[in-house]
Amino acid sequence: MNLTGNTILITGGGSGIGRGLAEAFHALGNQVVIAGRRQAVLDETAAGNPGMKSLSLDIESPGSIRSFAAQVAAEYPSLNVLINNAGIMRAEKLLAQPADLADAEAIVTTNLLGPIRLTAALLPHLQNQPHAAIMNVSSGLAFLPLSLTPTYCATKAAIHSYTLSLRYQLKATNTEVLELIPPYVATDLMGGASDPRAMPLDKFITEVMAILKQQPTPPEICVESVKPLRFAAESGKFDVIFNGLNSSMADIH
C-alpha cells in the first residue's frame, strides 16, 4: 500500500482507531475524508487537522450508504483508499435478551452489513483508479471470542472471512485488500479508554503505520500484542488462551 498521494475515506473516523488512522495518514500528506454518524465528533477531528474533510454517514441505512457513495465519489474523484473501520461493541446476556434482539441486530448491521454495502457501492469507483486499496478492520476477537460480546466477535469473524474472499476475487485487479486486526486498544469502545490492560492508542497507531511501510505490505496488519489471539488456534493453545481471556475480562461491561 502506498502511504502517500492517496485520497482516503475512513468510516468511524472521528474517534478511536479511526481518528488515529485518519491523523496518521493526514500527517503524511494524504487527503483524508472521515465519515460517521456523530457530526460533532467529525467536526472536532477535522477542525484539529486543517485540510481533513468530513461527511455524515448512517452506516445502518442501505439507502444512505448508496447516496453517500455517490456523493463521496463525485466530491473526491481521486478517492482510492477505503478503510472500513466503523463499528459498535455491546455486551450481551444471552439468557436475558430482549425479544427484538435490538443490540444484536444493530451490531450485525453496523459491523458486517455496513462494510459489505459500502464496499459494494464504492468498488466500481475504486476499480477505475490506477491503484486502490480496501482495508477492513476486524479484531483479534475474530479469532478467539470474548464471550461477553458474542455478536461483536461473530461479526468480526465474518469480516475476516469476507476479506479473504474479497482479496481472492480482486487478486487480478488494481485493488489491494488488507485486514487490520487490532488487539484491545484504549478507545471508548466498551470503556477501554481508561482500562490499563488496553494497548495505548498512540502506540497502536505507531506500530500499525510501521507495518504498513513494509514492502510488500502484509495482507494482515497485526501488532505484536494481538498475535496470541490471531494465532491461538495455530499455536495449539486456543483453549488455554480462550479461558484465560474470558476469565480476565469478566469485569468489563
Side-chain angles (χ1 to χ4, degrees), residues 177-207:
V177 178
L178 306 172
E179 181 178 357
L180 175 59
I181 306 175
Y184 184 27
V185 178
T187 71
D188 291 335
L189 210 63
M190 294 291 291
S194 58
D195 192 334
R197 295 171 295 188
M199 183 177 188
L201 178 59
D202 58 343
K203 292 184 178 180
F204 171 71
I205 296 297
T206 297
E207 193 171 346

Side-chain angles (χ1 to χ4, degrees), residues 1 3-14 17-35 42 45-47 49-55 68 72 76 78-83 209:
M1 178 178 174
L3 294 188
T4 59
N6 302 296
T7 300
I8 304 173
L9 171 64
I10 305 177
T11 65
I17 289 173
R19 178 170 182 166
L21 291 171
E23 292 181 336
F25 280 114
H26 177 72
L28 292 173
N30 297 283
Q31 175 63 72
V32 176
V33 183
I34 55 174
L42 297 175
T45 299
N49 297 274
M52 187 181 293
K53 306 297 183 181
S54 68
L55 291 172
F68 170 84
V72 73
Y76 302 96
S78 61
L79 176 70
N80 69 319
V81 178
L82 167 62
I83 300 180
M209 297 307 291

Side-chain angles (χ1 to χ4, degrees), residues 232-249:
E234 291 87 342
S235 71
K237 301 177 181 178
F238 185 94
D239 289 344
V240 171
I241 299 173
F242 176 82
N243 290 323
L245 172 74
N246 282 284
S247 295
S248 67
M249 301 296 285

Side-chain angles (χ1 to χ4, degrees), residues 59-228:
I59 198 69
E60 289 194 68
S61 166
S64 175
I65 289 174
R66 287 192 295 269
S67 61
F68 170 84
Q71 177 188 6
V72 73
E75 293 185 13
Y76 302 96
S78 61
L79 176 70
N80 69 319
V81 178
L82 167 62
I83 300 180
N84 284 308
N85 166 76
I88 57 176
M89 183 180 193
R90 296 172 185 169
E92 298 169 89
K93 295 182 178 179
L94 299 182
L95 291 176
Q97 294 186 100
D100 62 3
L101 297 178
D103 280 347
E105 292 193 10
I107 293 166
V108 170
T109 302
T110 298
N111 295 8
L112 181 57
L113 289 177
I116 290 174
R117 288 167 173 161
L118 186 56
T119 298
L122 285 175
L123 194 53
H125 175 82
L126 295 175
Q127 288 287 284
N128 286 327
Q129 303 295 347
H131 178 78
I134 298 170
M135 180 189 294
N136 292 329
V137 179
S138 63
S139 170
L141 299 178
F143 303 90
L144 188 144
L146 179 66
S147 65
L148 288 174
T149 58
T151 305
Y152 173 87
C153 297
T155 61
K156 293 302 184 178
I159 281 292
H160 170 66
S161 178
Y162 173 77
T163 303
L164 291 174
S165 297
L166 180 67
R167 182 182 298 123
Y168 192 86
Q169 289 198 21
L170 298 185
K171 66 180 181 177
T173 76
N174 63 333
T175 303
E176 185 178 3
V177 178
L178 306 172
E179 181 178 357
L180 175 59
I181 306 175
Y184 184 27
V185 178
T187 71
D188 291 335
L189 210 63
M190 294 291 291
S194 58
D195 192 334
R197 295 171 295 188
M199 183 177 188
L201 178 59
D202 58 343
K203 292 184 178 180
F204 171 71
I205 296 297
T206 297
E207 193 171 346
V208 166
M209 297 307 291
I211 295 170
L212 287 173
K213 290 178 183 176
Q214 297 176 14
Q215 294 295 329
T217 305
E220 294 184 358
I221 313 302
C222 296
V223 300
E224 286 300 317
S225 62
V226 83
K227 289 181 179 179

